[in-house]
Amino acid sequence: MARRRSPRRIPATPRRRAQEAGEERQQSALHHHLDLIGKIGPPATLLTAVFVWAGYVATLQRFRYFGVYLELADLPIQELVLYGVEVAYPIVLALLLAALGVLLLHAALARAAAWRPARSRPALAGATAAAGTAMLARGLAGVLRPALAQAETPGVTPLCLGLGVPALVYAYWLLDRSTGDRFGQARLIAAAIGIVGLFWAVSSFAGESGVARGLEDARRLHERPEVVVYAKQPIPDLDRITDYGDFGERAGFRHRYRGLRLLLESGGRLFLVPLTWKPGDDRAGISTFVIPYDKNIRLQLLPMPGPGGVSR
């Protein structure tokens, strides 16, 4: 009986061994990054948190422009998100584009470092460390000098802090890729600093956007549909700044108030802004009015006025 010959094993060439070693390093790095993401939190959860937080901060600043605090409004979380959705969407989209840019930059640096490791790695690590040091110094300057942070473009200080430390840690990893678990805690701390800086920057951007939206609402207040209030009992101070009408004692809803715009409704209350209010006017007599929306109040909603006109 003839013996079966085992297949001849071809010895691995140096190029083949280098390729296999590179694939093993890539798989190891991928597993490590996935494990790191699992420790920090799923990206979808992080984006959801950023979306909700941006909407909340923008809505807070938007209504505060009219003197209304969200604690008084008592809005549910769903309405908070809906009010701030047009601010949150651009912020989340910018974050996704920034994350894509970081991944592309990482791929480019990794490829450049693998081309000539002895020369390219120290140069790339040095450039990354210099950029990280500059950003960290700028972020600390904004923290130590509040006047600088107040006069800067919103988000510069938190972004510099949130990117500076991770850049320094990435520079060290780029210089010495052999670091294993002994360097994992530093990466985790750097990621945590980046997340804190991210939420801080989102607060700055969303807050400024909310103030801008409040100013725009005030400037275009006359373009909103008019709310006519009919009340059984007189509403104090409202007759002085509105088109007031008294229908007499025989009328069920005797008092009528026109020239109002609805800011929001929540918790059985109406937050009304008179047309006589102008941006920058802080007189208490013409600020936002909060009245209960109950059986003693009847509303009439008039259509939005035409271009250049005001419904009266």
Side-chain angles (χ1 to χ4, degrees), residues 172-203:
Y172 186 80
W173 173 85
L174 194 63
L175 184 63
D176 186 7
R177 289 189 173 184
S178 62
T179 55
D181 295 337
R182 61 187 176 89
F183 200 56
Q185 294 181 353
R187 285 195 290 263
L188 189 60
I189 294 174
I193 293 175
I195 292 176
V196 172
L198 170 64
F199 275 91
W200 187 0
V202 167
S203 297

Side-chain angles (χ1 to χ4, degrees), residues 14-288:
R15 182 177 180 180
R16 178 62 180 176
R17 287 195 297 267
Q19 184 178 1
E20 292 177 352
E23 292 176 355
E24 292 178 358
R25 286 196 299 268
Q26 291 179 358
Q27 292 178 359
S28 177
L30 177 61
H31 293 161
H32 177 76
H33 289 310
L34 291 177
D35 181 66
L36 183 62
I37 291 174
K39 292 178 181 178
I40 298 174
T45 303
L46 182 61
L47 287 177
T48 302
V50 171
F51 188 89
V52 174
W53 180 248
Y56 170 78
V57 174
T59 306
L60 174 70
Q61 296 298 333
R62 176 183 178 183
F63 289 143
R64 184 177 289 183
Y65 187 85
F66 293 90
V68 177
Y69 291 86
L70 289 185
E71 292 79 3
L72 285 175
D74 195 22
L75 290 172
I77 187 64
Q78 294 87 348
E79 293 190 22
L80 284 176
V81 174
L82 290 177
Y83 271 113
V85 66
E86 54 191 27
V87 174
Y89 270 132
I91 291 178
V92 173
L93 180 60
L95 291 178
L96 291 175
L97 292 176
L100 179 61
V102 169
L103 292 177
L104 294 177
L105 180 61
H106 167 68
L109 291 177
R111 182 177 293 274
W115 180 48
R116 289 185 179 180
R119 297 182 179 180
S120 58
R121 285 185 183 179
L124 293 174
T128 304
T133 303
M135 288 187 291
L136 181 59
R138 174 58 183 83
L140 292 176
V143 173
L144 299 177
R145 296 178 58 189
L148 178 62
Q150 293 175 0
E152 69 184 9
T153 302
V156 172
T157 293
L159 283 178
C160 288
L161 287 175
L163 296 176
V165 176
L168 291 175
V169 175
Y170 182 80
Y172 186 80
W173 173 85
L174 194 63
L175 184 63
D176 186 7
R177 289 189 173 184
S178 62
T179 55
D181 295 337
R182 61 187 176 89
F183 200 56
Q185 294 181 353
R187 285 195 290 263
L188 189 60
I189 294 174
I193 293 175
I195 292 176
V196 172
L198 170 64
F199 275 91
W200 187 0
V202 167
S203 297
S204 299
F205 285 119
E208 291 295 326
S209 299
V211 172
R213 181 60 192 274
L215 178 61
E216 184 66 18
D217 288 343
R219 289 176 175 174
R220 307 183 65 175
L221 196 63
H222 64 281
E223 297 180 5
R224 291 192 174 196
E226 181 182 357
V227 179
V228 183
V229 178
Y230 294 87
K232 294 182 178 181
Q233 302 296 329
I235 302 175
D237 299 327
L238 199 57
D239 56 333
R240 297 185 293 107
I241 59 175
T242 60
D243 182 4
Y244 172 67
D246 188 347
F247 297 105
E249 297 180 354
R250 295 184 178 182
F253 293 86
R254 175 177 178 177
H255 307 277
R256 186 195 67 184
Y257 305 92
R258 295 192 60 177
L260 296 169
R261 298 298 187 267
L262 179 64
L263 183 63
L264 64 94
E265 185 278 330
S266 177
R269 293 167 298 168
L270 300 173
F271 294 78
L272 301 173
V273 181
L275 278 178
T276 50
W277 184 85
K278 301 297 180 183
D281 198 336
D282 58 354
R283 288 177 291 170
I286 57 174
S287 59
T288 303

